[in-house]
């Protein structure tokens, strides 16, 4: 069997092999991140870990406004548009990121007392954070270019090695020194700076002639392309990070740390969702180009069914995972895992719709839906926390992503009509049925937490279904 798999792998195209390895790398990266969470909770007290999780949330906010995430949107599109001048384009974009970071650094230190009180960090941590922001674009541009050229070996090795050194190195160094949130953050940032510095030097130097003209041309491109997406990124940040920040504000850092553990664990199912989408996104674009709409519809239905079942399997075994990985102090967080995990299903659903919007260059719809859902999420978080406590944030997250998927479905239909598409890409009633089933299944799983025998019976039935589904798809492909 292994020999036949190796032979089949060798027959794959370069693009398919790259897709496979990037998927494997994504699993490894998420796995490293997942493993370090229980290690961190054992190194730090609950309140200290809460401080770390809140600061990391603020760090994502600072990162957005210190780089505009140009290396995610503008760069990935630009290396295709400016493929004959990629080196100068890369340097110009990194310089723009550095310029934005310098401006943000000046503003932060001008009002440093406010930011120190807000984030719980000291001046040294803030300074290290901005140095990390300056170097990070070099690494991300290097990775993006390797992926564009299907050079999967250096990209996989580089990304896994850097993530492993930072995550494992931090835990080892902190275990032999002061086990405080401050030391944990400083150690992490120093390791990130040391890891990203070589990539920054490689991408930036030597700076050749003509960079001045390149800056003028490419900075304008970056501004026009990326600025509308900053609102989307900010809104997406609010959806992903606002929960623990608001818990820290309205409850305490200890509960924020507990919720952060549950959120990290529930997001394990995102490994599968993100990996599948990385492979499926270019496939959807190609099928949209070829007008193979029926194939998109059938494959999407199969993908959602399997993803939904895997999410339910994960929810069913979540209590056992929590008991194995985390101390008793964190066990109450298990009740927030089901709604957050169900959110991943609707997250996958909306990414399918946004692929259609992006294909037809209607990113303004993505921004509108993001802003609406971010505002709704913050309002629901405030109401939920004040009435029911921090556990409610799991359910407000689920509601927000349901709204996200619904809005993008409407925008996707509008974009399809504007593009003159005669055939419906997706069946709205069928997708609604899947969404309702997922919510009902999640509710049943929550109730089954009180009865282990019922829970394991449901788990057995689902595993048999997945095994049969896998054999059916395997026979069809063969």
């Amino acid at each position: 069997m292994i020999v036949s798999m190796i032979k089949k792998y060798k027959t794959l195209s370069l693009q398919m092999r790259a897709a496979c390895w990037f998927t494997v790398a994504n699993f490894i990266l998420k796995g490293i991140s997942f493993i370090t969470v229980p290690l961190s909770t054992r190194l730090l007290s609950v309140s200290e870990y809460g401080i770390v999780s809140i600061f990391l949330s603020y760090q994502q906010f600072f990162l957005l406004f210190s780089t505009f995430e140009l290396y995610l949107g503008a760069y990935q599109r630009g290396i295709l548009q400016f493929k004959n001048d990629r080196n100068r384009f890369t340097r110009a974009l990194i310089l723009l990121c550095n310029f934005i970071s310098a401006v943000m650094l000046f503003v932060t230190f001008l009002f440093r007392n406010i930011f120190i009180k807000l984030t719980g960090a000291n001046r040294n941590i803030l300074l290290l954070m901005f140095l990390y922001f300056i170097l990070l674009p070099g690494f991300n541009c290097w990775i993006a270019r390797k992926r564009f050229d299907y050079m999967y070996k250096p990209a996989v090795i580089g990304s896994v090695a850097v993530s492993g050194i930072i995550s494992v190195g931090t835990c080892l160094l902190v275990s032999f020194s002061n086990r405080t949130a401050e030391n944990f953050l400083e150690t992490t940032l120093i390791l990130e700076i040391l890891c990203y510095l070589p990539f920054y030097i490689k991408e930036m130097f030597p700076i050749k002639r003509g960079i001045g003209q390149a800056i003028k041309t490419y900075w304008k491109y970056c501004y026009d392309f990326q600025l509308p997406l900053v609102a989307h990124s900010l809104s997406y940040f609010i959806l992903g990070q606002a929960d623990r920040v608001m818990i820290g504000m309205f409850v305490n850092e200890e509960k924020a740390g507990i919720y952060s553990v549950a959120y990290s664990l529930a997001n394990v199912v995102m490994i599968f969702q993100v990996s599948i989408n990385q492979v499926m996104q270019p496939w959807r674009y190609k099928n949209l180009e070829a007008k193979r709409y029926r194939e998109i519809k059938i494959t999407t239905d199969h993908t959602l069914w399997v993803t939904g079942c895997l999410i339910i399997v994960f929810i069913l075994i979540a209590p056992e995972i929590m008991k194995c990985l985390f101390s008793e102090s964190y066990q109450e967080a298990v009740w927030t895992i089901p709604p957050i995990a169900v959110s991943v299903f609707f997250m996958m659903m909306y990414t399918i719709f946004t692929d259609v919007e992006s294909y037809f260059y209607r990113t303004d719809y993505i921004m509108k839906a993001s802003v609406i859902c971010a505002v709704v999420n913050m309002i629901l978080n405030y109401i939920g926390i004040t009435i029911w406590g921090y556990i409610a944030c799991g359910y407000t997250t689920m509601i927000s992503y349901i709204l996200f998927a619904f809005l993008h479905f409407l925008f996707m239909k509008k974009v399809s009509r504007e593009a003159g598409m005669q055939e419906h890409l997706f069946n709205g009633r069928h997708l609604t049925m899947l969404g309702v089933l997922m919510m009902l299944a999640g509710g049943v799983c929550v109730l089954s937490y009180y009865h282990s025998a019922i829970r394991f019976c449901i788990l057995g039935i689902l595993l048999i279904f997945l095994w049969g589904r896998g054999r059916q798809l395997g026979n069809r492909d063969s």
Side-chain angles (χ1 to χ4, degrees):
M1 181 178 178
I2 295 175
V3 175
S4 63
M5 288 177 65
I6 294 173
K7 288 181 179 179
K8 191 171 183 180
Y9 169 78
K10 290 181 177 180
T11 62
L12 295 175
S13 65
L14 176 63
Q15 291 85 349
M16 284 302 299
R17 273 183 281 171
C20 291
W21 278 107
F22 289 143
T23 302
V24 170
N26 195 53
F27 269 88
I28 295 172
L29 292 172
K30 292 290 184 181
I32 292 172
S33 176
F34 172 65
I35 290 169
T36 54
V37 170
L39 290 176
S40 302
T41 60
R42 296 183 188 280
L43 287 172
L44 305 173
S45 66
V46 177
S47 59
E48 290 286 321
Y49 183 74
I51 294 171
V52 169
S53 63
I54 291 172
F55 175 80
L56 293 177
S57 297
Y58 278 115
Q59 180 177 280
Q60 290 299 313
F61 175 81
F62 278 102
L63 179 62
L64 170 60
F65 285 100
S66 298
T67 63
F68 285 2
E69 297 186 335
L70 292 167
Y71 43 78
L72 295 180
Y75 187 71
Q76 294 187 15
R77 178 65 183 272
I79 54 175
L80 177 62
Q81 185 171 339
F82 307 113
K83 56 186 176 183
N84 296 324
D85 193 25
R86 288 194 301 178
N87 288 338
R88 285 201 306 167
F89 171 66
T90 300
R91 292 181 180 116
L93 183 137
I94 293 174
L95 283 173
L96 178 56
C97 287
N98 291 169
F99 175 74
I100 299 170
S101 297
V103 173
M104 191 65 181
L105 173 63
F106 175 77
V107 173
T108 301
F109 272 79
L110 193 63
F111 303 100
R112 57 185 176 275
N113 292 333
I114 296 174
F115 286 112
I116 287 172
K117 184 177 180 181
L118 184 67
T119 62
N122 59 37
R123 188 172 60 180
N124 290 337
I125 290 176
L126 290 178
L127 192 60
L128 288 170
M129 180 182 72
F130 277 100
L131 184 55
Y132 155 66
F133 290 165
I134 289 171
L135 300 176
L136 178 64
F139 175 74
N140 283 333
C141 288
W142 180 83
I143 286 287
R145 202 156 70 245
K146 296 302 179 187
R147 286 177 175 170
F148 181 83
D149 294 330
Y150 299 111
M151 298 174 65
Y152 55 88
K153 289 181 182 178
V156 170
I157 293 171
S159 57
V160 171
V162 167
S163 178
I165 290 170
I166 294 170
S167 302
V168 178
T170 298
C171 291
L172 286 175
L173 290 172
V174 171
S175 66
F176 292 109
S177 57
N178 296 327
R179 299 188 179 188
T180 63
E182 185 177 293
N183 186 42
F184 188 94
L185 292 171
E186 287 181 351
T187 304
T188 302
L189 288 167
I190 290 171
L191 287 174
E192 287 172 335
I193 290 166
L194 292 174
C195 286
Y196 295 142
L197 179 60
F199 294 97
Y200 181 85
I201 294 172
K202 186 178 188 307
E203 292 300 308
M204 283 298 296
F205 300 101
I207 296 179
K208 298 180 180 179
R209 295 175 62 183
I211 191 66
Q213 183 60 35
I215 286 175
K216 182 179 178 182
T217 303
Y218 297 137
W219 281 23
K220 184 180 185 304
Y221 157 79
C222 292
Y223 175 84
D224 293 339
F225 185 92
Q226 194 72 18
L227 199 61
L229 294 179
V230 172
H232 162 68
S233 298
L234 177 60
S235 303
Y236 197 78
F237 161 82
I238 292 171
L239 276 171
Q241 305 292 332
D243 298 0
R244 63 205 82 178
V245 173
M246 294 181 73
I247 291 170
M249 290 173 62
F250 296 115
V251 187
N252 54 51
E253 287 87 356
E254 183 175 317
K255 295 301 183 183
I258 293 172
Y259 180 82
S260 183
V261 163
Y263 198 92
S264 299
L265 183 61
N267 277 342
V268 167
V269 292
M270 280 187 67
I271 299 173
F272 179 77
Q273 182 262 326
V274 171
S275 300
I276 289 295
N277 194 59
Q278 285 179 344
V279 177
M280 295 298 292
Q281 186 183 56
W283 176 87
R284 289 188 198 107
Y285 287 165
K286 292 177 182 177
N287 280 279
L288 283 168
E289 186 74 22
K291 301 186 186 304
R292 291 193 292 262
Y293 305 135
R294 179 171 173 77
E295 191 168 342
I296 295 174
K297 182 179 179 180
I298 293 171
T299 305
T300 298
D301 287 344
H302 286 313
T303 304
L304 287 173
W305 269 106
V306 173
T307 303
C309 289
L310 288 173
I311 289 172
I312 297 303
V313 168
F314 174 80
I315 294 173
L316 289 169
I317 62 175
E320 280 63 41
I321 298 175
M322 285 290 295
K323 289 175 184 176
C324 290
L325 296 179
F326 302 105
S327 64
E328 186 64 31
S329 304
Y330 293 93
Q331 294 307 310
E332 67 183 63
V334 73
W335 300 103
T336 65
I337 290 177
I340 297 173
V342 171
S343 301
V344 177
F345 178 82
F346 293 98
M347 199 181 299
M348 184 166 200
M349 191 180 283
Y350 93 73
T351 56
I352 295 168
F353 305 146
T354 55
D355 282 348
V356 179
E357 296 165 40
S358 299
Y359 174 79
F360 291 109
Y361 300 100
R362 294 308 306 268
T363 53
D364 55 318
Y365 287 140
I366 299 175
M367 180 188 68
K368 290 174 183 177
S370 300
V371 171
I372 292 170
C373 292
V375 173
V376 170
N377 181 252
M378 293 184 70
I379 294 172
L380 291 177
N381 278 344
Y382 177 76
I383 296 172
I385 292 171
T386 53
I387 297 177
W388 296 290
Y390 80 96
I391 297 290
C393 286
Y395 293 91
T396 61
T397 298
M398 182 181 71
I399 294 169
S400 299
Y401 278 111
I402 291 172
L403 178 61
F404 218 176
F406 175 70
L407 289 175
H408 277 299
F409 177 74
L410 296 181
F411 288 143
M412 181 272 302
K413 288 186 68 176
K414 190 174 187 296
V415 168
S416 300
R417 287 196 304 269
E418 291 172 352
M421 198 178 293
Q422 299 298 320
E423 184 178 346
H424 291 296
L425 269 176
F426 307 105
N427 187 323
R429 290 182 180 179
H430 180 67
L431 294 177
T432 301
M433 181 196 72
L434 284 178
V436 171
L437 282 175
M438 275 301 299
M439 287 187 287
L440 290 175
V444 171
C445 289
V446 172
L447 295 176
S448 72
Y449 282 3
Y450 296 103
H451 306 283
S452 297
I454 296 175
R455 184 155 52 90
F456 286 115
C457 284
I458 298 172
L459 178 62
I461 294 169
L462 268 178
L463 291 175
I464 292 170
F465 171 78
L466 284 172
W467 177 74
R469 192 76 171 179
R471 288 196 62 182
Q472 181 184 358
L473 291 174
N475 292 334
R476 191 188 71 174
D477 292 338
S478 60

